[in-house]
Amino acid sequence: MSDLTRLSAAALAERLRSGEVSSVEATRAHLDRIAAVDGAVHAFLHVSDEDALATAADIDARRAAGEELHLLAGVPIAVKDVVVTKGVPTTAGSRILEGWLPPYDATLVGRIKAAGLPILGKTNMDEFAMGSSTEHSAYGNTHNPWDLTRIPGGSGGGSAAAVAAYEAPLAIGTDTGGSIRQPAAVTGSVGVKPTYGSVSRYGLIALASSLDQAGPVTRTVLDSALLHELIGGHDPLDSTSIAEPLPDLVGAARLGANRDLSGVRVGVITELQGEGYQPGVLARFHESLELLQRAGAQVVEVSCPHFTYALAAYYLILPAEASSNLAKFDGMRFGLRVEPSEGPVTAERVMGATRGQGFGDEVKRRIILGTYALSAGYYDAYYGSAQKVRTLIQRDFAAAFEQADVLVSPTAPTTAFKLGEKLDDPLAMYLNDVATIPANLAGVPGLSLPSGLSDDGLPAGFQVLAPAKADDRLYRVGAALEALLEDEWGGPLLAQAPELEVAR
Amino acid sequence: MSSLSRDEVARVAGLARIDLTPAELDRLAGELDVIVESVARVSEIATPDVPATSHPLPLTNVFRPDVPVPTVDRDAVLAAAPAAQDGKFLVPQILGEDA
């Protein structure tokens, strides 16, 4: 039998349907792979062997009994640890939630369970999704499968590394400023941030409520479409969820795979290239543009002049919202409680001691920044101005989408950097998200897929952006480019990754 | 735009209810000053004629039918709390004066 962990989710689902492979076999193969490589990669914070195998056995029995099952039934999946899972440890990468067992499931987890996908476990991340390298996890670094001395991106480095290391064919990520797309770019995998409201936020531990969006992390564009359709759609429990059906995402991915983009207008964003972008990343980007052109797409240059202010606006809006959302970690109802070592044990002093001990450096930095930006005397200059910039960025997008059906850029300015390299320079770390942040500020969807290897032999990412609620365009253009690139490479980019040493 | 002094960081950390060690205060004051200086450039283009946006997509208020539905199980919630008693969260005293 060929190695089941190398199959795409769509291919694995096909073998499960035909009866060639059982879900227990597929799930066991992935659990074995986790046991073999996760000591070195550390993508997982928690592995749910027994639950996953029980789900798999149940699906096998139901399939044998002739039950009509979801297309992805029996295909294992990993879930980012910021998504609550009933009775399964959920820490969001923070000490303050160590040992917490959520009493409910996120809506997207409920949908995964209803469709019968065995949940392999919870993946590592920057604490409360604050970071671009997963180095801000309270539970240790995740290592990039392409080079274990390098970062896997962040905040969802665990999910991206898990799919890139063949520990899972599918994973869930969340993207507040690039936390799905940037890890995809630096690990040679695929990740999609859906339109804001396309996937329910109910049961995500909120970072910035007006920016957060959950989405698929996979190795192929089609797999992302399949997973997006599974987790997406209206949810009454999230009042910001869009009360309309999703576009035909899987159909769009299949259409794109025929490599014909005749009539599609592709806008290259002037402001998201050039200075600060690694030459090899730009070279792969321009080669991808040529392929799109050869497939019939019309490539135009569009300017989004206010995008140069997006990073600044984001690092006011995000900390402001986070400082409010994270106020609930007060040591009263869940998670850690620390009593002050001296003086009266009052609620207020317990809260200060708990948060002082339970939060890591980056979380403290951003909460204090957000509290400052919202405080009397500074609100108008900082938070108020940032909200105006948000309007200007939305107008830039609106104007650009008059000229183009999709917009494109490199996903991240560089390939994966060394662990520790940017840890002491918060501003340098924030720059990793310069190309992904505008989509979150405007609520529009974005996809990242591998564009090739940069001069340093590490993967680079190509980002596609579409208007709100037109997520199908991402999948059409993404699947077309993926097919064209794989024609050139003779297979998926991940096939060029070095084999990980397997522990016994 | 003012810069962020060590005293100011200490004051804001107090508002945010985060106890910081003196070493953390020293480091954060320097880092936050650099970050604030960088993000302050938003005011360059935030002119009075530009309306503020708080949300990515236009939304109207959302209602649901006024029908009671089951809530999350109380015992499961309390089991995950730092302390509970008599079916309630057990919390430290709220007021600071001597008991």
Side-chain angles (χ1 to χ4, degrees):
Chain A
M1 189 168 58
S2 64
D3 186 347
L4 297 175
T5 64
R6 304 288 160 132
L7 298 174
S8 70
L12 179 56
E14 190 53 48
R15 295 199 190 187
L16 291 169
R17 269 199 306 281
S18 72
E20 190 184 327
V21 172
S22 74
S23 177
V24 167
E25 287 169 328
T27 303
R28 174 93 58 198
H30 285 95
L31 291 170
D32 288 349
R33 176 71 179 170
I34 292 169
V37 302
D38 210 51
V41 176
H42 191 45
F44 284 85
L45 293 179
H46 178 83
V47 179
S48 306
D49 309 54
E50 286 181 21
D51 285 354
L53 288 168
T55 302
D58 177 53
I59 286 298
D60 287 340
R62 285 161 61 188
R63 199 186 303 276
E67 193 178 322
E68 192 72 27
L69 296 168
H70 188 276
L71 202 70
L72 291 174
V75 178
I77 187 168
V79 177
K80 189 178 180 183
D81 205 32
V82 76
V83 182
V84 303
T85 40
K86 187 173 182 177
V88 176
T90 301
T91 66
S94 182
R95 287 283 170 214
I96 215 164
L97 278 177
E98 191 166 13
W100 182 56
L101 298 177
Y104 70 109
D105 276 327
T107 294
L108 74 86
V109 171
R111 290 182 183 180
I112 287 169
K113 287 184 176 176
L117 283 74
I119 296 177
L120 296 167
K122 305 298 289 291
T123 58
N124 199 12
M125 54 182 285
D126 287 295
E127 183 175 6
F128 291 111
M130 297 187 197
S132 308
S133 68
T134 313
E135 293 169 291
H136 294 304
S137 168
Y139 303 98
N141 294 334
T142 295
H143 300 263
N144 191 318
W146 286 81
D147 176 348
L148 295 172
T149 68
R150 293 178 186 271
I151 60 111
S155 66
S159 283
V163 300
Y166 305 102
E167 296 174 86
L170 299 171
I172 294 295
T174 62
D175 189 312
T176 304
S179 290
I180 289 175
R181 290 163 287 159
Q182 181 258 4
V186 299
T187 58
S189 53
V190 175
V192 177
K193 181 202 94 73
T195 296
Y196 183 85
S198 176
V199 177
S200 170
R201 290 185 297 109
Y202 181 74
L204 309 192
I205 298 173
L207 169 53
S209 305
S210 78
L211 305 166
D212 296 346
Q213 184 59 201
V217 174
T218 64
R219 289 191 295 266
T220 73
V221 172
L222 176 62
D223 284 357
S224 273
L226 289 163
L227 183 52
H228 188 165
E229 285 197 1
L230 167 61
I231 61 174
H234 183 239
D235 175 20
L237 295 176
D238 172 5
S239 57
T240 61
S241 117
I242 296 169
E244 314 171 10
L246 295 170
D248 181 5
L249 308 174
V250 172
R254 294 198 194 281
L255 176 66
N258 70 18
R259 301 165 174 77
D260 181 10
L261 292 175
S262 302
V264 177
R265 297 171 304 162
V266 173
V268 180
I269 303 169
T270 312
E271 287 75 13
L272 298 185
Q273 50 182 323
E275 201 191 332
Y277 288 78
Q278 200 174 301
V281 170
L282 286 176
R284 298 300 86 76
F285 176 68
H286 287 112
E287 288 159 15
S288 294
L289 282 178
E290 281 172 33
L291 289 177
L292 293 176
Q293 232 158 352
R294 266 192 263 157
Q298 183 194 339
V299 176
V300 296
E301 178 112 0
V302 297
S303 176
C304 295
H306 300 103
F307 278 20
T308 50
Y309 291 87
L311 193 72
Y314 177 83
Y315 277 102
L316 287 164
I317 291 168
L318 178 138
E321 293 190 21
S323 71
S324 169
N325 274 328
L326 270 61
K328 63 177 163 281
F329 299 102
D330 56 6
M332 302 297 148
R333 291 155 297 166
F334 31 67
L336 185 71
R337 176 183 291 179
V338 178
E339 297 191 352
S341 49
E342 50 191 47
V345 181
T346 63
E348 186 177 329
R349 299 186 76 242
V350 166
M351 191 174 171
T354 300
R355 291 156 68 83
Q357 191 173 312
F359 287 148
D361 286 346
E362 182 64 16
V363 173
K364 289 175 181 171
R365 209 151 37 220
R366 294 203 200 178
I367 290 177
I368 291 170
L369 178 61
T371 306
Y372 176 72
L374 290 174
S375 63
Y378 300 109
Y379 181 95
D380 287 340
Y382 293 124
Y383 188 65
S385 296
Q387 287 190 307
K388 291 183 172 195
V389 172
R390 197 167 183 174
T391 305
L392 295 169
I393 285 165
Q394 293 185 356
R395 287 178 183 171
D396 279 357
F397 268 117
F401 283 127
E402 294 280 315
Q403 299 167 259
D405 301 307
V406 294
L407 303 176
V408 298
S409 77
T411 310
T414 70
T415 55
F417 46 89
K418 292 270 186 189
L419 288 159
E421 192 178 316
K422 299 188 181 178
L423 208 46
D424 296 326
D425 187 348
L427 271 184
M429 188 72 92
Y430 297 170
L431 276 169
N432 292 299
D433 297 327
V434 70
T436 44
I437 279 171
N440 300 79
L441 290 171
V444 304
L447 170 151
S448 178
L449 78 161
S451 60
L453 301 182
S454 183
D455 305 331
D456 51 13
L458 293 165
F462 185 93
Q463 177 177 238
V464 186
L465 303 166
K469 302 184 195 177
D471 304 49
D472 50 331
R473 295 186 196 174
L474 304 179
Y475 291 106
R476 181 176 174 200
V477 174
L481 180 57
E482 177 183 60
L484 293 162
L485 285 165
E486 291 189 1
D487 289 345
E488 308 255 311
W489 300 329
L493 189 70
L494 272 169
Q496 299 179 37
E499 283 296 327
L500 290 165
E501 202 168 312
V502 170
R504 304 209 174 266
Chain B
M1 215 74 68
S2 72
S3 65
L4 207 50
S5 67
R6 190 178 187 279
D7 284 353
E8 184 73 348
V9 172
R11 185 185 74 85
V12 176
L15 291 175
R17 306 284 187 269
I18 298 176
D19 289 356
L20 296 176
T21 63
E24 281 181 310
L25 259 180
D26 290 338
R27 203 181 59 245
L28 273 169
E31 290 166 350
L32 285 169
D33 197 41
V34 173
I35 296 170
V36 167
E37 195 184 303
S38 169
V39 297
R41 59 192 295 264
V42 290
S43 60
E44 291 170 15
I45 53 169
T47 48
D49 56 308
V50 180
T53 297
S54 62
H55 204 269
L57 299 177
L59 281 176
T60 50
N61 205 359
V62 176
F63 296 95
R64 67 169 175 86
D66 188 16
V67 178
V69 291
T71 60
V72 176
D73 180 65
R74 186 183 70 175
D75 291 341
V77 172
L78 292 176
Q85 187 181 306
D86 303 332
K88 302 178 181 73
F89 293 113
L90 183 63
V91 301
Q93 66 182 80
I94 303 296
L95 300 175
E97 65 270 287
D98 294 330

